[in-house]
Every structure is written in C-alpha cells, then in structure tokens.
Amino acid sequence: MTSPHYPDGTVRALLATDLVTEATRTALQERLDAPAYEPQFLEPAAYDLLRAVAACLFPQPDRPDAPIELAPSVDRRLAAGLSDGWRYDAMPPTAKRIAWVWGA
C-alpha cells in the first residue's frame, strides 16, 4: 500500500535499516498503515475547503505528488476543543459553529 505521506523509497526504505530505533520504526509504520483521515469536526465541504486553503497558504512545491496534509491536524484540534491561544477569551468557544465555520 502506498502512503500519501511517505512516498515509496523514502521512509519505507529507511525502516528496513538499523538506522531507526524500534520505537521510531513502530511509530512510522503506524502512520504508514493508517487509513485515510475522516473529518471529525468539520462537514465534508468545509473540510475540503480547509484542505484547499491550506494548500494555498502553505504550498509544497517540493512534494507535488505527496503533500503533507495540514487539515487533519486542524480538524482534530477543533474536535478535541484544543486551542493554542489564537483567539480572545471574550470570543465564543471554538467548538461552536461560529461564523467562520459556517462560512467555510
């Protein structure tokens, strides 16, 4: 199975060497074997828009065939109610369907 995160011949080749610890090998193999991400917080259309916006804001010209997906991390944080301090305390909680989510 080909992973969108690690093209054949990169991490896969490294896993077979003694240059990788067993803990690292296990973590990387789990990532390689992980199923495609399904949005947990955003609706499918909003999630697709987030993916498109992320691709525009953080282009990855060196990875045209296998860009690193940024949207899953954002969606997971929203679903878990995690924040990194980007909003004012007086604003409604991120998990509420506020205007930017509806707009997306």
Side-chain angles (χ1 to χ4, degrees):
M1 176 174 153
T2 299
S3 168
H5 303 292
Y6 303 106
D8 291 337
T10 58
V11 172
R12 291 179 186 281
L14 187 62
L15 289 178
T17 71
D18 61 355
L19 299 173
V20 179
T21 66
E22 191 56 40
T24 300
R25 183 177 292 108
T26 300
L28 291 175
Q29 192 62 55
E30 286 174 2
R31 292 178 193 168
L32 287 168
D33 296 339
Y37 182 77
E38 293 290 329
Q40 302 168 25
F41 181 81
L42 296 171
E43 299 295 327
Y47 183 78
D48 289 344
L49 179 59
L50 174 60
R51 289 183 70 223
V53 169
C56 289
L57 293 176
F58 301 100
Q60 300 176 49
D62 56 324
R63 301 179 58 90
D65 297 326
I68 297 168
E69 287 287 343
L70 303 173
S73 176
V74 174
D75 187 70
R76 277 189 206 101
R77 290 180 65 80
L78 289 170
L82 300 175
S83 175
D84 59 3
W86 63 268
R87 55 180 275 294
Y88 293 108
D89 289 339
M91 294 176 68
T94 301
K96 292 195 182 221
R97 299 288 181 179
I98 53 178
W100 77 266
V101 174
W102 290 335

